[in-house]
Structures are given as structure tokens and as C-alpha cells.
Amino acid sequence: QITFGSIFLGKVPVHEEVHRCAGQIYGYKGCIRDFQVNHKELFIIDEALEGRNVENCNVPICDYHPCHNGGTCTSDEENWYCECPKLYTGKLCQFATCDENPCGNGATCFPKSRRDAVCLCPYGRSGILCSDAINITQPSFSGTDIFGYTSFLAYSTIPNITFYYEFHLKFQLANHHSALQDNLIFFTGQKGQGLNGDDFLELGLRNGRVVYNYNLGSGTATIISKPLDLTLNVHVIHLGRNLQKGWLKVDDQKNKTVTSPGRLVGLNVFSQFYLGGYREYTPELLPKGPRFKNGFQGCIFDVQVRTSLNQGFKPPGTPEGHPNSGRSVGQCKDSPCSLIKCRNGGKCIESGSTVYCDCLTGWKGAFCTETVSVCEPEHDPPHLCQQGSTCVPLPSGYTCHCPLGTTGTYCEKG
């Protein structure tokens, strides 16, 4: 019961209770939401002088199916909540999350939006959830994706590289534009951080030229090739170093040499050998000065190395040719989008072996098959329910359930 001066809602107080011939007057059991006297709205809670045994109205919220993305609504006498499936969180299961990782085989989960996540596939895996095995003989790298991650392969540290090494490799550019960017081809360093004074060995592309850098601890030696002949489909690189003297040969260009500054003659590197990119890549991780801003875009293959003139060339890794790890690396000339069909105007996006559907406004889900609810933050136009209220979708439009102390169509009034 709530007393408004001489107006009583619910039940007359006991000391003023009226008994009639028909018997006792029973109190109202139910909910009263809007109350007006002479066209004036009275705020039931704020303007009440006293009351007893009044609780917040228990609206059967689950009847409105408020949970998004397959969530299950559960309610009791006082509360309601959504039990969310994997990938989603939030009061209405409206936010995509990676807390319960849907990605398989050690993939990196990234929340593409509040609705969906993307699985950045590890080496040897592809597909929406990275569940498909792929055989990689010519790795394809996609540079740095829109989420800031770089595709890469990481091999075990190359042994006995201190005084002498030679590398042979081939690469194929994704497009002519990629040759003009700062693209890392490979890197290995003393501590893996590329700080000043660290030894390192680095190869990349800059402004359409191959750039070869190494530092033995007393200064960086750099060789820059002539501009690449972009009419060639495949480019061939041969580079090496003997003590302080290094050399670089690209395609049919003349061999170029350089001598590193200072007196140090040994390259001491302990990090893994990174091909195509760098784990959690940022330019600051690479040597200061000759930083490369992007991972490689295209294919790098037939990588061979030897650390003595008496040795034969062999691929890096232990066992040979096998990386320790990798991310978003596909097979050259293969397209994972050929196996994915995005619906409702969605566009298939591929990044190496990583693949996902970019949905048009109003659609969501792995294959853009689910509609975006009018109450979801991404709906266009957004709902107008004020902060603190609950937007509940209806068969036609939506309604706003206001917290205690607010009212109005959109809970905009105090």
C-alpha cells in the first residue's frame, strides 16, 4: 500500500479499513505503473508519503525474448538474466568476446566487433574457426591485417651463424603497390627486441628496393639494391656475410658489397628466425633506424641457408623446413575464400590462412546469416533508450523498460 494524502493505492490501512456487508475489502495484487489525478501525473514512489509491503513490479521480461545471439532468458520473482552462448557476453549477450575462445588449434581470437570474433589461424590451419588443415609448401603472407597483427613464420635459432652465412630465397609480390611499402622479409636478433647495440640480421623491401642490414655490435652495415623489375613474376635473392664483409645480389642485378663499421666480426643472435613478419609486430621491436613498418605481402619460398662454405644449403628450422610457430600464413595462390560463401551481401576477407565474412549493415554471424536486433548497439539507426534503461525488442519496433525513478517513452524523464 502507498498513501498519497487521503488517496490510497493498493489497500486502505488497517486502522481506516472499512467493512461492508459484502465483507472485507481486499488489497490489490499486481502492478500499477502510471498514475494520474486530474490529468496530473503523480510519481508513485517519489511522491508517496508512506507505504508498506511494496516491491518493484516483476515484469515477465523473458516473454519479450530480450537475449541476443541465441542467449537463453531465465527469470525468478526478482531478477532475470541471459545465459549467453560461447563468443557472446553482456546483459543481453550483445557483445562478442574471446573469453570463451571459439577458435580451435591454438588460433588467436580477436573480437572483430561487438557481434563477432575472428580466428587468426596458426601455421597449418585455415577456415572460419581454423579447423581445416592445409599443406604449406610455398608460404603466403598478408602483411599487417586491420587488427594490427602480422602474418609470420618463426623458426628455431639458426646455429653457427656467427662468422659466416649465406641465404638463398625467392619471393613473389602480392601486387606492385606492396613493393613500395616498408615490408619485412626476415629478421633475427640478439635479444629479439632490436635495441641499439644489439646484433641483428634483417632483410626487407623499401620503396621498391631490397634492403639488407646487419649489425655485429659496432654499427649497422646496409646494402640497398637497384629498383626491382616489377615485370618479373618471381624475384631471387642471394645474400651473405663473411666476418665484416657482406654482399647482396638481387635477380640479374650486379652483386653489391659492404663492410660493417668498427672492429667486431661476429654476429651473435639468439632469437628465432622470423620470416614474413614478427610476433606481435610493432616497428619498435625491430632495429632503430632501418625499421620496416609492415609485414611482407606475397609469397616467400625456397628459403635456404648455410653457415660454412663446406656445407650444402638447407632450409631453416628443426626439423629442417618446419617452423616452430606461425600465424595467418596460407599456401601461395590458394584462396581460403574459395571455400567460404558469405550470405546477404557479406564480403569474404582473407589474410593468409585467416578468413572471415565482413557483413553489411543489419547482418551478423560467421556467414552473415543473422539479423542485427533493433536493440543492439550496432543497429542503424540506434535505439533511443536512455542510459540505464533496458531496450526490449517487440514484433514491431521496441520498448524501453525504465529503471526506478525514470519515465517517458525512452526513459528520458526524471
Side-chain angles (χ1 to χ4, degrees), residues 104-409:
N105 300 295
T108 301
C109 179
F110 188 88
K112 175 166 65 81
S113 68
R114 292 181 175 181
R115 303 186 304 271
D116 298 304
V118 171
C119 299
L120 308 181
C121 294
Y123 176 74
R125 291 285 173 173
S126 185
I128 293 288
L129 298 178
C130 304
S131 55
D132 302 329
I134 57 173
N135 182 34
I136 299 176
T137 57
Q138 294 186 344
S140 172
F141 302 87
S142 55
T144 306
D145 61 29
I146 62 173
F147 312 115
Y149 288 88
T150 301
S151 60
F152 73 92
L153 291 178
Y155 297 85
S156 57
T157 304
I158 300 174
N160 306 317
I161 201 174
T162 306
F163 300 113
Y164 183 92
Y165 59 75
E166 286 184 79
F167 285 88
H168 286 166
L169 62 90
K170 298 176 183 178
F171 69 87
Q172 184 176 11
L173 296 170
N175 49 59
H176 289 177
H177 176 68
S178 66
L180 302 177
Q181 300 179 2
D182 290 344
N183 295 319
L184 180 70
I185 297 178
F186 70 62
F187 170 80
T188 184
Q190 192 169 49
K191 300 183 180 68
Q193 300 299 316
L195 302 176
N196 278 342
D198 281 358
D199 292 16
F200 66 84
L201 166 62
E202 179 183 56
L203 183 70
L205 288 177
R206 179 172 288 125
N207 297 324
R209 302 168 185 259
V210 176
V211 180
Y212 165 35
N213 298 305
Y214 62 90
N215 191 330
L216 307 181
S218 55
T220 301
T222 300
I223 304 177
I224 302 176
S225 76
K226 292 182 178 181
L228 292 172
D229 181 357
L230 298 182
T231 64
L232 297 176
N233 187 42
V234 176
H235 300 276
V236 180
I237 294 179
H238 178 201
L239 64 86
R241 181 189 63 87
N242 183 21
L243 301 178
Q244 291 179 293
K245 184 178 180 180
W247 64 90
L248 170 69
K249 181 171 175 55
V250 177
D251 296 331
D252 294 329
Q253 299 179 17
K254 289 184 178 180
N255 190 61
K256 285 192 169 186
T257 61
V258 71
T259 301
S260 62
R263 296 184 178 182
L264 299 178
V265 297
L267 178 69
N268 300 298
V269 296
F270 309 111
S271 74
Q272 298 184 92
F273 179 76
Y274 291 94
L275 188 67
Y278 202 86
R279 183 187 299 274
E280 313 312 335
Y281 175 79
T282 61
E284 287 69 27
L285 291 174
L286 298 178
K288 296 183 182 299
R291 292 174 181 164
F292 292 94
K293 297 179 181 178
N294 302 288
F296 189 80
Q297 294 175 299
C299 303
I300 305 174
F301 48 94
D302 293 349
V303 180
Q304 302 280 321
V305 60
R306 69 177 180 180
T307 55
S308 170
L309 280 171
N310 300 323
Q311 285 183 345
F313 283 90
K314 60 183 181 181
T318 305
E320 293 179 6
H322 291 266
N324 293 339
S325 61
R327 179 176 56 218
S328 297
V329 175
Q331 170 67 4
C332 194
K333 298 182 181 179
D334 281 359
S335 171
C337 278
S338 63
L339 304 176
I340 301 298
K341 187 173 180 63
C342 304
R343 306 287 183 174
N344 300 304
K347 181 181 179 182
C348 183
I349 305 295
E350 59 185 38
S351 178
S353 61
T354 294
V355 61
Y356 63 93
C357 290
D358 188 23
C359 304
L360 292 178
T361 301
W363 296 95
K364 65 179 182 178
F367 300 98
C368 306
T369 55
E370 305 170 40
T371 57
V372 177
S373 165
V374 67
C375 285
E376 294 188 60
E378 295 81 6
H379 188 270
D380 188 16
H383 68 78
L384 300 178
C385 297
Q386 299 295 304
Q387 188 174 6
S389 61
T390 301
C391 176
V392 178
L394 299 175
S396 177
Y398 62 94
T399 186
C400 302
H401 283 181
C402 303
L404 196 64
T406 65
T407 186
T409 304

Side-chain angles (χ1 to χ4, degrees), residues 20-37:
R20 302 184 182 184
C21 293
Q24 184 176 356
I25 300 175
Y26 291 94
Y28 175 77
K29 185 176 182 180
C31 298
I32 301 175
R33 299 189 64 175
D34 299 316
F35 184 57
Q36 292 184 352
V37 176

